Amino acid sequence: MDYKKANRAFLYMILATICFTVLYTVWMIGTMTTIPVLLNNFLAEMMIFIPSLAMILFYGDRVSVLVPFKKIRIQSALLIPLYVLLLVPLVVFFNSLSMLFVDNTVVEMADQILALPLWQMLLSIGIFGPFIEEFVFRGMFLQSYQRTGRIIGSIVLSSVLFGMMHLNINQFAYGVAMGIMFALLVEATGSVLSSFLAHAIFNSAEVVLMYMEKDVLEHAQDYVEGMEFKNTILISMGVYFVLAVIGTALALCLLVKIANLEKRQEFFISIPKCKKQGYKLVTVPLIVAIVISLAYMIGMEVIFKITGV
């Protein structure tokens, strides 16, 4: 699949996701009931997966080529948890930055998540979600864009779309950063399996921590809305910025090590020398999708502020 088809697929995904959200909201208001969180998560991931798979099959691409889930060395797999750990300060920094302006989306969902057994949420958020999202964003999008030879542009654009697909400013902020680091991991290994492992480890750890900190989460939103907490964020952001710089630098060094193990060091180091002009990957359908996404995210934040929801 070429980049033009991939961009159309993103437009279809955005439209499908927003339509699903609107219909769900109307149904919820009309019936005064909610969809179980597991079903909601499944349907949300399907709004991403189905348009992607349909485009791949329609244009006759081989899934195994467009989404390379090839084996990686055991040594590389063992280094991935350390890689994820080094990225935690980066994620926390961007999460804190977004919380200066919007609420923490994960905290707002905590009650629904914690009402279910841990193993169910690990399967849903820790395994199923990362598999679908890596299949789509580090698979279909990243590989389709890379066929132009613009590796850096492919990494950045696929990561921006990954963040944007969450359709909220909070997750968009750190989603882009995570997307870039996951994409670099795919470049270092040549396999989406590596980014899936990293994504699954990150999400699973987040879920486990939520269950371990139930009492903290019960009061977290009150602090998020208070000025005192926002002052705390400003102070902690400075610390996390320093830790993020150090952690990300070490993570990049670790990527070079992993690329060496996977016999891809020469390619990985040569990435900065690849074609630039990432803007040439942009098409009209993609611009339309981005405008719709931004309008939706900003519009929802305005509605939340006005209604106090």
Side-chain angles (χ1 to χ4, degrees), residues 3 7 141-142 144-146 148-161 180 183 187 271-272 274-282 286:
Y3 71 97
N7 288 345
F141 282 113
L142 181 61
S144 296
Y145 292 149
Q146 282 187 349
T148 65
R150 295 176 173 84
I151 306 300
I152 296 176
S154 301
I155 291 171
V156 173
L157 183 55
S158 63
S159 300
V160 169
L161 301 189
I180 290 174
E187 300 300 344
I271 288 177
C274 295
K275 294 179 183 178
K276 303 302 189 291
Q277 301 97 21
Y279 63 88
K280 291 189 176 180
L281 297 172
V282 177
L286 181 62

Side-chain angles (χ1 to χ4, degrees), residues 85-121:
L85 180 63
L86 291 171
L87 295 181
V88 169
L90 180 68
V91 175
V92 173
F93 171 75
F94 280 104
N95 182 46
S96 299
L97 181 63
S98 70
M99 286 170 62
L100 291 174
F101 310 99
V102 299
D103 292 334
N104 188 308
T105 304
V106 175
V107 169
E108 292 180 338
M109 296 173 57
D111 289 341
Q112 299 177 55
I113 293 173
L114 297 176
L116 296 172
L118 173 61
W119 69 269
Q120 291 185 10
M121 298 315 301

Side-chain angles (χ1 to χ4, degrees), residues 162-200:
F162 171 63
M164 194 159 286
M165 180 51 66
H166 292 87
L167 288 176
N168 68 78
I169 295 174
N170 174 242
Q171 289 180 293
F172 170 78
Y174 62 82
V176 174
M178 287 178 62
I180 290 174
M181 300 309 293
F182 288 164
L184 287 173
L185 185 58
V186 172
E187 300 300 344
T189 61
S191 174
V192 176
L193 176 60
S194 61
S195 62
F196 164 67
L197 288 175
H199 198 161

Side-chain angles (χ1 to χ4, degrees), residues 200-262:
I201 290 170
F202 181 87
N203 279 21
S204 296
E206 188 176 39
V207 170
V208 170
L209 286 174
M210 289 181 70
Y211 278 80
M212 291 174 62
E213 300 176 352
K214 287 184 179 181
D215 293 337
V216 174
L217 286 169
E218 286 178 359
H219 305 287
Q221 191 57 39
D222 293 335
Y223 286 111
V224 169
E225 295 172 353
M227 185 59 68
E228 181 180 347
F229 184 76
K230 291 190 175 181
N231 289 336
T232 303
I233 290 179
L234 287 173
I235 296 172
S236 64
M237 277 179 58
V239 176
Y240 276 110
F241 176 76
V242 175
L243 293 176
V245 171
I246 296 172
T248 304
L250 292 174
L252 291 173
C253 293
L254 193 60
L255 281 176
V256 174
K257 172 65 176 178
I258 293 173
N260 185 44
L261 289 171
E262 298 295 330

